[in-house]
Amino acid sequence: MFKKDITPGAKSKVKSSVQRTIRSKVLEQYPLLEPYIEDILPKKEQLDLVKLPDRIALYALGTTPLFFQHMDDPLLPHLTLIHRYPRCFPTLRIDRGAIRFVLSGATLMTPGLTSPGGRLPNDPNDAEGRYGKKELEAGEVVVIEAEGKEHACMVGVLKVGTEEMKRVKKGQACEAGHYLGDGLWSLSLG
Amino acid sequence: MATATYPIQVTYCGICSLPPEYCEFGGTTKKCEEWLEEKLPDMHSKLYSQEVLEQNMSALSVDAQKRAEKDSQKKAARAEAASAKLAETRATSKVLIKRIERNKRKYVTAVQGLEAFGLDIKKVAKDFGKKFATGSSVTKVPGGGEEITVQGDLSDDIFDYVVENYKDVPEDNLECIEDKKKKKADG
């Protein structure tokens, strides 16, 4: 979505009623954020809406970007937010070989997730249950971590359910929404 | 990392802006490593020790390693070329400060080319307006691109102000010119 560098458009303040809606939407989508919502979206603070090209809206608090959204699609968290609250999102892991492709903006392919280095929900190698027990459906928002790395490297929308991925083991898995080093990442809000 | 208190404070590389562990996938690995060594020696020794490097290598098949190597070299070359190009445009591009006669004794001053030095011309325009207490705006140039138009004859003042405040712009690249073309057309 942000392969090229982008220039931010107009910045405007979000109405408090809209801000409440965003807040409840965030909680509905990412219930695990509940304990921290007051830190992320304080009730009293004024949220900003920054318009980006291609009908993407970015919600920011001061100079920290929080969530972005394409039209009325689900809200996607910005990677800096994920880095601060890593365990609060549904997560998958890719193997080492796939990192460089992801970081250059490629669509994530299933073998990167099904190989020994990758992790899907209910993975037999995942002893501590870090990647969840629930299979994810197509269209869900997932955070992509990388083998041997501490921080997430991408966030996107699943194209195929995880169950099907395990069965088919090829094809596209997850559309590149926002990855480390892309236009949204390097965007600075002045 | 597992049960750290939220929010986690994440350090980002000062060169490529990624978390340091991803530096190896950017094009500026060398510079990043030096930066990390200087700023965060702890993390540097953790990420760049021989052991870790070997482990990283062994995780991939020989074939994949070769491909990754090639790819990263290409990337590095590209990043280098990009930064060299940027430096070159910075060295060669000129900032033009034009005094344009508008109406016999009245002038406007147009400033072109500041964007090549990584400045946000909208902000600069605002600063000019504040500093000189005049109208200052960003206008489109017919040939494409934008320039700052400041009301009043301020070419020398702007010259000094830019030299003083925007250290990125070398003084030699600034040029004052007087634009008389318009007057001729009128007369």
Side-chain angles (χ1 to χ4, degrees), chain B residues 18-50:
Chain B
L18 305 182
E21 51 185 9
Y22 285 103
C23 280
E24 51 178 317
F25 296 100
T28 51
T29 319
K30 198 95 196 174
K31 268 192 214 154
C32 294
E33 192 183 338
E34 280 161 18
W35 177 87
L36 198 67
E37 194 165 18
E38 189 184 323
K39 294 278 154 81
L40 301 157
D42 284 359
M43 197 178 260
H44 179 267
S45 53
K46 204 169 99 193
L47 286 176
Y48 290 95
S49 68
Q50 198 61 39

Side-chain angles (χ1 to χ4, degrees), chain A residues 57-108:
Chain A
L58 173 71
Y59 297 103
L61 194 68
T63 55
T64 23
L66 296 176
F67 294 93
F68 64 96
Q69 186 178 31
H70 174 248
M71 298 188 70
D72 276 329
D73 292 353
L75 286 158
L76 292 164
H78 193 267
L79 273 171
T80 49
L81 182 76
I82 299 168
H83 288 164
R84 274 179 286 148
Y85 303 93
R87 291 299 196 86
C88 302
F89 303 95
T91 310
L92 303 175
R93 199 177 87 171
I94 52 171
D95 61 12
R96 230 190 108 74
I99 301 177
R100 66 192 178 97
F101 297 109
V102 167
L103 291 200
S104 51
T107 303
L108 181 56

Side-chain angles (χ1 to χ4, degrees), chain A residues 151-163:
Chain A
H151 302 296
C153 62
M154 182 180 127
V155 54
V157 176
L158 276 186
K159 272 196 157 174
V160 185
T162 48
E163 215 159 346

Side-chain angles (χ1 to χ4, degrees), chain B residues 67-80:
Chain B
R67 255 179 288 140
E69 181 83 8
K70 224 184 207 170
D71 198 61
S72 71
Q73 262 171 15
K74 220 198 282 170
K75 234 178 179 177
R78 213 182 304 145
E80 209 156 279

Side-chain angles (χ1 to χ4, degrees), chain B residues 97 109 111 124-136 148 150-162 165-166:
Chain B
I97 301 175
T109 312
V111 186
V124 178
K126 183 94 185 157
D127 286 348
F128 281 167
K130 271 188 191 157
K131 164 80 184 158
F132 304 116
T134 57
S136 170
I148 303 174
V150 188
Q151 287 179 19
D153 177 10
L154 294 163
S155 39
D156 295 339
D157 302 83
I158 287 179
F159 186 94
D160 294 340
Y161 182 73
V162 171
N165 284 281
Y166 303 105

Side-chain angles (χ1 to χ4, degrees), chain A residues 7 9 21 33 35 41 49 67 74 88 106-107 123 139 147 149 169 172:
Chain A
T7 42
T21 330
L33 278 179
L41 284 170
L49 167 74
F67 294 93
C88 302
T107 303
D123 204 292
E147 180 187 6
K149 304 286 177 198
K169 297 205 173 170
Q172 301 184 332

